[in-house]
Amino acid sequence: MRPLSAARPRLPLAACALLAGGCVGTGVQDVLAPRGPQAERIADWFWISFALAVAVFVAFVAVLAYGLLRARRLGERNELPPAHGRNLVLWGGLVVPTAILLVLLVLSAYTDRRISRLGRGAGPEPLTIEVVGEQFWWQVRYLDPAHPHREFTTANEIHVPTGRPVRLLLESRDVIHSFWVPNLHGKTDLIPGRTNDLVFQVDEPGVYRGQCAEFCGTQHARMALLVEALPPAEFAAWWERQLRPPAPPTDSVRVKGRDVFMKNGCGVCHSIRGTPARGRVAPDLTHFASRRTIAAGTLPNTRGHLGGWISDPQGIKPGNRMPAVPLKGEELQALLDYLHSLK
Ligand code: CUA
């Protein structure tokens, strides 16, 4: 075994690397990996503040080191005229910090103005999506006021076109949540009784993870979401697919699965377009099989995880609103077949 003394110098380095790796560089939920103009402005602002903070730190350490060295050299004879100390306090403690804070204040207001102008002036019309925060998932409604028959609802995964501003109308029906996709924009709260809006744009196709950023109850930490940015043509095709209800099941197992769904009251909370399931208080499952995750980003949408979720939702996400429905083994298998046929 290596003696501890040999390992010790590496510990601070390892700790720094761990901290840095945990915060930046992975690209996932990373403010410093901006993927759109709004996030770029925020990242610019971060780097300017960071550079200023580093400059202040270096200046402070330099003055401190100078003072310590000088004190050692002068020894007992270290007596400065009182005016010397007063000047240092006046400049170092008042004038310079006030100037730096003013610079940060002006830059912050300037960044805010630049962001709020983006996507709201000339240029392509923003796509408007209503996002409602629920304990503990996200309802997502695609709006098209000129063609209401082309509107639809989905959950937890927000598809957007690249290169076009997206305007989110953020609402809540229960408590305060906060919408945050760090690669795309800052946080905006979802507050019961009011509508906040957030405009962002994604420049590169990809999947960006987001997270509820305001404590909203026991499962706040498991209230994630994904934003998937598609090139405009693919996005248009995706929208057309979403409008079509899923084809009714034809094989006997899936037919049985649909009956299990309807007879056990799942449709009281969930909707599946084209069926009697019209519930509005739980995620719309019309195209459930096309989702990447279940339970708001908690688990991958695989057969095994879905079976576990339906059998014991309170064990996986205690305090969520989904009750466990007692099913026989073959009923559960048929239900899984049916749900994963909802493409
Ligand atoms: Cu919703 Cu935290």
Side-chain angles (χ1 to χ4, degrees), residues 284-341:
D284 184 295
L285 301 179
T286 303
H287 293 280
F288 171 76
S290 66
R291 297 213 188 118
R292 292 165 186 267
T293 66
I294 56 174
T298 304
L299 296 168
N301 187 5
T302 61
R303 189 180 178 93
H305 284 303
L306 182 60
W309 171 249
I310 294 171
S311 307
D312 186 15
Q314 295 302 320
I316 290 169
K317 207 168 158 178
N320 88 85
R321 302 261 162 90
M322 169 129 163
V325 180
L327 296 176
K328 293 196 199 91
E330 67 190 60
E331 289 176 326
L332 177 63
Q333 295 304 327
L335 179 60
L336 296 178
D337 261 50
Y338 172 61
L339 289 173
H340 272 165
S341 74

Side-chain angles (χ1 to χ4, degrees), residues 6-22:
R8 196 174 290 150
R10 292 187 199 158
L11 276 176
L13 273 180
C16 288
L18 200 69
L19 270 176

Side-chain angles (χ1 to χ4, degrees), residues 69-146:
L69 289 174
R70 195 188 150 108
R72 181 182 284 182
R73 220 174 36 235
L74 292 178
E76 292 295 310
R77 297 177 295 110
N78 189 8
E79 278 177 16
L80 290 172
H84 221 88
R86 263 206 305 276
N87 279 342
L88 189 67
V89 170
L90 181 69
W91 284 92
L94 195 67
V95 178
V96 174
T98 306
I100 291 173
L101 288 176
L102 271 176
V103 167
L104 285 175
L105 182 71
V106 169
L107 274 175
S108 169
Y110 174 66
T111 303
D112 197 44
R113 248 184 95 111
R114 282 172 84 200
I115 292 175
S116 63
R117 275 204 223 118
L118 284 170
R120 291 176 204 261
E125 175 76 4
L127 168 72
T128 305
I129 305 172
E130 180 188 271
V131 175
V132 181
E134 308 266 2
Q135 281 174 315
F136 303 94
W137 58 283
W138 309 87
Q139 189 185 74
V140 183
R141 183 152 181 82
Y142 286 77
L143 303 181
D144 186 353

Side-chain angles (χ1 to χ4, degrees), residues 177 212 214 216 220 223:
H177 305 270
C212 180
E214 176 81 35
C216 53
H220 155 71
M223 185 168 167

